[in-house]
Amino acid sequence: MTRQIRYQDAIREAQAQILAADPRTYIIGLGAPGPTGIFGTTKDLQREFGVDRVFDMPSSENAMTGVALGTSLLGRRPIVVHMRVDFALLSMEPLVNQIAKWHYMYGGHMVAPLTIRMIIGRGWGQGPQHSQSLQAWLAHVPGLKVVMPTTAHDVKGMLIAAVADDAPVIVMEHRWLYGVTGVVPEEMYEVPLDQAAVVRSGKDVTLAATSYMTLESLRAADMLSQIGVEADVIDLRSLTPIDLPTLSASIARTGRIVVSDTGHSLFGVCAEVLALVAESCFSQLKSAPGRVGLPHAPTPTSPALADLYYPRALDIARAAAEMLGAAHRLPPEILGEHKWKDTPDPSFTGPY
């Protein structure tokens, strides 16, 4: 029988197996041993593995990250959890100035093998300080690997691969994915940290996306199929590096690309992907590429502003259809979708 579990359960299972398999590993994070266990991802792990392996921490992100760096230099392999990427900003000094550069500063003779989970995502009016998607910031820093798994299968395999890697790895998790189920093997396995995945095949346009926007791209592909447009959908999964060979192969088939990301369009992942495409695949493009992301403004709280702020599947479908001169063929019932764009994906049920 093929087992299906939720994204959040896949994360918990990965960490439990990592802790059981390698005594050098431990988990540290605000609320890690708490009653909800950071959206269920660390629930009861302290009870199972003890207070020496699963730590709670007060709001001291900078100190926590520094402690994790120190222990990694002594041979441990910590998993640091920031339940909001916004909170992780307090740890930028040890992360950017120390952890990312350690391997290079010491000529490869020392490594800092940290895995840092950061949760992104919006919903229910989380507002400008609790719902940012700052993956482009982190991917800009040489020495950090940044991955954004979309499926339950990938988040387990990439988390295990991250802990096994000698480089510091940032695992960005969109909280709207936590309730999404998928096929996940019970045993330990690794998913490569440097490869994109083609999750739907088509010949007319490439829809490349990160994290939760991959689900929106699949929905956009369904919309496009209603007007006879077949989309290639690529889950980028890794930002450092971006899997250019997979992108190039797709563009060779379609000649068109729309990139969507959970972050801001300007100076972000969309911009970087399109720059790589322009440098490497320009002669294969049949039309100007497009991007779908957040506007250059802080995340809003109110429903009225959220409706103007957040892109979803329709925006991706419309961008692709306009490239093909087919936007007018999108059915009226599709154009009327969604009432409040800050309402979580139906698969997400909380806790908040």
Side-chain angles (χ1 to χ4, degrees):
M1 178 180 292
T2 303
R3 185 186 65 144
Q4 293 207 18
I5 62 174
R6 296 178 300 178
Y7 189 95
Q8 64 194 70
D9 298 326
I11 295 172
R12 187 196 180 282
E13 182 171 271
Q15 292 174 129
Q17 292 177 342
I18 290 167
L19 290 168
D22 189 344
R24 298 174 300 171
T25 58
Y26 69 89
I27 297 173
I28 185 170
L30 175 62
T36 61
I38 308 181
F39 297 97
T41 61
T42 57
K43 188 174 177 58
D44 294 331
L45 288 178
Q46 188 182 68
R47 183 182 306 170
E48 187 173 349
F49 293 97
V51 296
D52 294 334
R53 304 289 302 281
V54 181
F55 300 99
D56 199 359
M57 284 293 289
S59 297
S60 54
E61 287 78 6
N62 186 299
M64 177 173 71
T65 305
V67 167
L69 168 62
T71 58
S72 74
L73 301 180
L74 296 173
R76 304 294 295 270
R77 289 184 174 267
I79 300 174
V80 179
V81 189
H82 293 295
M83 65 169 64
R84 298 283 186 199
V85 69
D86 318 76
F87 304 167
L89 300 185
L90 294 166
S91 66
M92 282 299 116
E93 197 289 323
L95 180 62
V96 175
N97 282 338
Q98 310 298 333
I99 295 169
K101 298 171 174 62
W102 210 267
H103 173 81
Y104 300 91
M105 289 193 299
Y106 292 96
H109 295 289
M110 297 184 71
V111 294
L114 281 75
T115 297
I116 305 179
R117 296 177 46 210
M118 296 185 186
I119 298 170
I120 60 174
R122 64 186 192 261
W124 298 324
Q126 287 292 298
Q129 297 168 317
H130 292 77
S131 58
Q132 297 177 86
S133 289
L134 301 175
Q135 54 268 19
W137 278 35
L138 299 159
H140 182 74
V141 179
L144 297 179
K145 294 184 179 181
V146 181
V147 297
M148 302 184 75
T150 301
T151 66
H153 176 276
D154 286 351
V155 76
K156 178 177 177 180
M158 297 183 93
L159 188 52
I160 292 172
V163 174
D165 201 297
D166 280 341
V169 182
I170 311 294
V171 181
M172 310 290 285
E173 305 162 8
H174 196 294
R175 68 194 185 109
W176 283 18
L177 295 172
Y178 278 4
V180 175
T181 60
V183 176
V184 179
E186 293 186 34
E187 68 274 14
M188 292 186 76
Y189 61 90
E190 295 186 13
V191 172
L193 301 176
D194 59 355
Q195 296 179 14
V198 179
V199 293
R200 177 170 173 147
S201 297
K203 62 179 178 53
D204 298 315
V205 63
T206 297
L207 306 180
T210 61
S211 186
Y212 177 75
M213 293 306 282
T214 302
L215 300 190
E216 295 287 12
S217 293
L218 288 169
R219 291 167 182 151
D222 288 338
M223 295 176 182
L224 292 167
S225 70
Q226 296 183 42
I227 59 172
V229 174
E230 298 178 21
D232 224 30
V233 180
I234 295 176
D235 179 2
L236 288 172
R237 298 198 297 191
S238 169
L239 301 187
T240 48
I242 291 171
D243 184 357
L244 186 58
T246 297
L247 281 172
S248 300
S250 178
I251 292 171
R253 292 191 296 273
T254 67
R256 303 174 182 86
I257 182 169
V258 176
V259 185
S260 57
D261 179 42
T262 62
H264 299 286
S265 289
L266 296 182
F267 311 104
V269 174
C270 292
E272 181 60 27
V273 170
L274 294 188
L276 290 171
V277 167
E279 290 171 348
S280 305
C281 314
F282 185 78
S283 62
Q284 296 175 321
L285 291 172
K286 298 174 183 175
S287 64
R291 55 181 163 173
V292 176
L294 304 181
H296 204 59
T299 302
T301 301
S302 75
L305 291 175
D307 281 348
L308 299 172
Y309 191 81
Y310 290 114
R312 298 189 77 158
L314 175 60
D315 303 286
I316 300 169
R318 184 184 286 121
E322 286 176 352
M323 286 182 184
L324 292 151
H328 63 285
R329 289 159 49 196
L330 287 170
E333 61 270 22
I334 288 179
L335 297 176
E337 67 140 22
H338 301 306
K339 51 185 180 182
W340 182 26
K341 295 181 179 179
D342 204 21
T343 302
D345 185 272
S347 64
F348 183 80
T349 57
Y352 55 86

